Amino acid sequence: MLNIHAIPRFSTGSTRVNVGVLEGGTAANIIPEFARMVIETRSVSEETNNELERRVRNILAHSAEMHELRHEVEVIGAAIPIACDEELVALAMEEAAQVEGFHTIKSKVASAMGSEDASFMIRRVQERGGKGTYMIIGSNLPAPHHHPRFDIDEAVLPRGVELLNRIARRVLK
């Protein structure tokens, strides 16, 4: 795990690597029969993420070999970068400016490290000639995403629905 977290960052774009689960054994004085890690890699570039994943796999293989252990890698999910369509970003920003309660509207058209479902769905839409973007509707949070105390401010939900409604009405005219 320490070697995975020590992988140098890339000059080709932002990356994220995390060991979210590390478990093994049943007691402090018993050597476990097996251990399990759940690892995530992400990047704003598919090529960079592929290289990051290659390095993680290399660390796993050599760490196992060093101790004469077997290892297996099972891929249970994936994400690809999201390339937002500039015209849809502009439209979303125009409509967000009309929704009461939105105070800060930012544009970031470059590739983003979105969630796996959204990234594949947006790419599929774009491959079929459609437009796609990824939006984050923020609010004050008691803790960041993926934290045990994370909770959403449900007051933002009607604003989000209104924004989606306004975008749909413009696109479907």
Side-chain angles (χ1 to χ4, degrees):
M1 179 183 77
L2 295 176
N3 286 329
I4 290 169
H5 282 155
I7 294 173
R9 295 300 165 230
F10 293 74
S11 63
T12 53
S14 297
T15 60
R16 181 172 72 211
V17 62
N18 187 49
V19 177
V21 175
L22 176 60
E23 60 187 16
T26 57
N29 62 344
I30 300 173
I31 296 172
E33 182 179 352
F34 70 92
R36 181 174 84 105
M37 297 173 111
V38 178
I39 305 165
E40 176 190 53
T41 65
R42 288 195 190 197
S43 177
V44 296
S45 152
E46 265 185 272
E47 295 77 24
T48 300
N49 193 61
N50 289 341
E51 175 61 17
L52 182 60
E53 183 179 331
R54 186 194 69 74
R55 290 182 187 189
V56 168
R57 287 174 182 267
N58 195 30
I59 289 168
L60 294 172
H62 286 90
S63 296
E65 184 180 336
M66 179 174 66
H67 295 287
E68 297 181 348
L69 300 171
R70 289 180 299 112
H71 81 287
E72 294 177 23
V73 174
E74 177 186 358
V75 177
I76 58 172
I80 54 178
I82 297 172
C84 299
D85 288 294
E86 291 186 36
E87 71 182 61
L88 192 53
V89 170
L91 186 147
M93 290 180 62
E94 288 172 22
E95 292 304 325
Q98 303 303 313
V99 176
E100 186 177 333
F102 287 155
H103 304 291
T104 305
I105 301 168
K106 296 180 182 178
S107 165
K108 185 172 183 182
V109 178
S111 184
M113 295 188 288
S115 73
E116 56 277 356
D117 294 346
S119 63
F120 286 107
M121 183 179 70
I122 290 171
R123 176 166 296 170
R124 181 69 176 236
V125 166
Q126 290 169 329
E127 287 172 349
R128 293 172 176 241
K131 302 290 180 190
T133 190
Y134 191 80
M135 297 184 298
I136 298 172
I137 298 174
S139 68
N140 292 326
L141 301 174
H145 293 198
H146 310 290
H147 187 281
R149 288 188 7 243
F150 172 80
D151 194 11
I152 64 167
D153 177 1
E154 293 180 7
V156 303
L157 295 177
R159 291 182 213 139
V161 170
E162 183 178 347
L163 175 57
L164 293 173
N165 180 38
R166 293 181 69 90
I167 293 169
R169 288 178 183 278
R170 285 255 319 257
V171 170
L172 296 174
K173 278 186 180 182

